[in-house]
Amino acid sequence: MRPEYLFLLLLPTVLAAGCVGDAAPPVVPENWSANVTVESEGAIVTIAMVVAGDGRFRATFPDGTLFTDDGRRFWTSDPVEGEISVVPSEYRGTVLDERTWLIWNVFEARRVLEGAYEKGDLTYEGMETEDGRTVRVVGIAGNESLGEAPTRFRDPVYRIRASADAKTGVLVGATFYGRDGRELVRFTFKDMVADPEVPPGTFSFVPPPGTDVTLAQTVAVTPMVFFERAEIPEEVPVPSYLPPGYAFREGALLPGRYAVLTFTDIAGDTLTLVARPADLPDPAPPRGTPEEVPAGNFSGRLYRDNGSDILVWTEGETRFTLTGVAGEDEMVRVSASVETFS
């Protein structure tokens, strides 16, 4: 018999055995919802998650603690501790809370898994039953590391065992193993739904009236863009008027529409203007009882602290704080010349 005829006779048997089609990688949807169980280092935690492909998400822990990001603000609401905190979304990965690391590990698991599809060899390992449904199991392995495990220690991964819903092909579980075959971490996606209907406001959070909201503590050094006069970014609010003798010295632009400008005079006196989002808590609010004074096109609050004046006012979505010893009249004139972020 000619070789090509023999191949055609054997091909249906090969396909039926699952050596080709059944080894297809599980589908990881962009938008999904699931109860995700993370098993690692002897701990087991289940997180109810709703995730959008554009980076927004909502994650609720068993004790009711909520982490949610609407693409602009990252909120933490902890009913056990009675604390609510917020940071700009740009800082969410730096929030000092171990529970957020579990969330990032879930996201990282997807990236490692998709990278492993390209690096490793996929093999069909059979059909199994998980939580009452039939799943197709695929093994992924290679001679080299498939990536770093989505855990605290980032151990190299040499094998992954992934399972997919037999009907939809959507991922329902993934277990990551080290070089010695030791299980590093296991993720189970129960009640996984691809492209779920997400009601408006799912990723938003509005603190209850009267709630004390703080800035979340972050673990990383904030990246800053320093600039001199000729390099001031166009979007930074700069006063068009300065008291006699004062000139721009330096400035810094931080993520999340936060800017700091410093001006000095020949005597070395400093005038500092801070512009930041008005909806965020002030990490160091002025002390004392303020006086109401005009500031910009609005009413401001003037504080006096050890010889320095602190003028605070809000315009649109920006809150300004002007600190210095130039005197009330001059500071009011400076505030009137400041435009908000462009």
Side-chain angles (χ1 to χ4, degrees):
M1 181 180 295
R2 294 176 60 181
E4 57 267 33
Y5 293 154
L6 178 60
F7 173 76
L8 291 174
L9 288 173
L10 291 176
L11 181 59
T13 304
V14 171
L15 292 174
C19 294
V20 178
D22 288 336
V27 176
V28 185
E30 290 283 337
N31 308 290
W32 57 271
S33 66
N35 292 311
V36 186
T37 298
V38 184
E39 302 178 52
S40 177
E41 303 169 32
I44 302 176
V45 179
T46 298
I47 315 167
M49 298 185 66
V50 182
V51 177
D54 58 8
R56 295 174 299 156
F57 75 89
R58 184 182 185 91
T60 307
F61 282 72
D63 66 357
T65 297
L66 170 69
F67 297 92
T68 188
D69 190 334
D70 62 3
R72 183 171 176 271
R73 296 288 179 260
F74 175 68
W75 288 91
T76 301
S77 175
D78 187 336
V80 177
E81 298 295 332
E83 297 175 350
I84 295 178
S85 61
V86 62
V87 291
S89 296
E90 294 92 335
Y91 294 91
R92 74 183 193 183
T94 69
V95 170
L96 189 58
D97 189 313
E98 290 188 2
R99 292 168 297 188
T100 63
W101 300 345
L102 289 174
I103 298 171
W104 313 145
N105 286 344
V106 173
F107 294 147
E108 183 66 18
R110 170 186 174 155
R111 289 189 285 269
V112 175
L113 188 60
E114 292 181 333
Y117 293 162
E118 301 178 2
K119 296 179 182 178
D121 299 320
L122 279 68
T123 57
Y124 171 64
E125 296 190 0
M127 307 292 280
E128 297 181 0
T129 301
E130 294 182 6
D131 294 324
R133 62 179 168 183
T134 303
V135 300
R136 175 174 51 83
V137 181
V138 174
I140 310 166
N143 296 325
E144 299 180 354
S145 170
L146 300 174
E148 294 181 341
T151 64
R152 284 191 306 170
F153 303 108
R154 294 295 190 261
D155 297 303
V157 174
Y158 284 86
R159 180 172 176 269
I160 302 174
R161 193 173 190 266
S163 56
D165 185 283
K167 294 181 179 179
T168 65
V170 173
L171 176 74
V172 296
T175 305
F176 298 77
Y177 299 89
R179 182 192 295 272
D180 56 0
R182 177 174 58 91
E183 180 177 312
L184 302 174
V185 60
R186 179 192 300 254
F187 297 89
T188 304
F189 297 82
K190 188 177 181 181
D191 305 319
M192 168 70 102
V193 177
D195 298 317
E197 292 187 10
V198 180
T202 295
F203 306 112
S204 301
F205 181 80
V206 179
T211 302
D212 184 20
V213 178
T214 62
L215 278 178
Q217 186 177 2
T218 55
V219 68
V221 176
T222 301
M224 298 184 183
V225 177
F226 293 96
F227 49 84
E228 297 179 352
R229 181 73 198 184
E231 304 168 339
I232 298 179
E234 292 184 0
E235 69 269 23
V236 174
V238 179
S240 58
Y241 170 81
L242 290 175
Y246 278 84
F248 176 81
R249 187 179 74 184
E250 62 184 5
L253 181 64
L254 292 73
R257 296 173 67 83
Y258 193 114
V260 180
L261 302 176
T262 302
F263 310 88
T264 56
D265 66 2
I266 56 175
D269 291 330
T270 299
L271 191 65
T272 302
L273 176 66
V274 176
R276 59 184 181 82
D279 65 319
L280 294 178
D282 190 338
R287 296 173 296 179
T289 302
E291 304 173 23
E292 294 293 325
V293 298
N297 298 317
F298 304 90
S299 176
R301 302 185 306 277
L302 181 66
Y303 299 82
R304 303 187 189 279
D305 185 14
N306 295 326
S308 291
D309 293 328
I310 304 173
L311 181 58
V312 181
W313 75 98
T314 300
E315 185 170 351
E317 297 181 350
T318 305
R319 180 167 298 158
F320 296 93
T321 302
L322 183 64
T323 304
V325 294
E328 176 183 338
D329 293 341
E330 291 290 359
M331 294 181 69
V332 168
R333 291 187 65 183
V334 172
S335 70
S337 74
V338 177
E339 296 183 0
T340 189
F341 273 101
S342 60

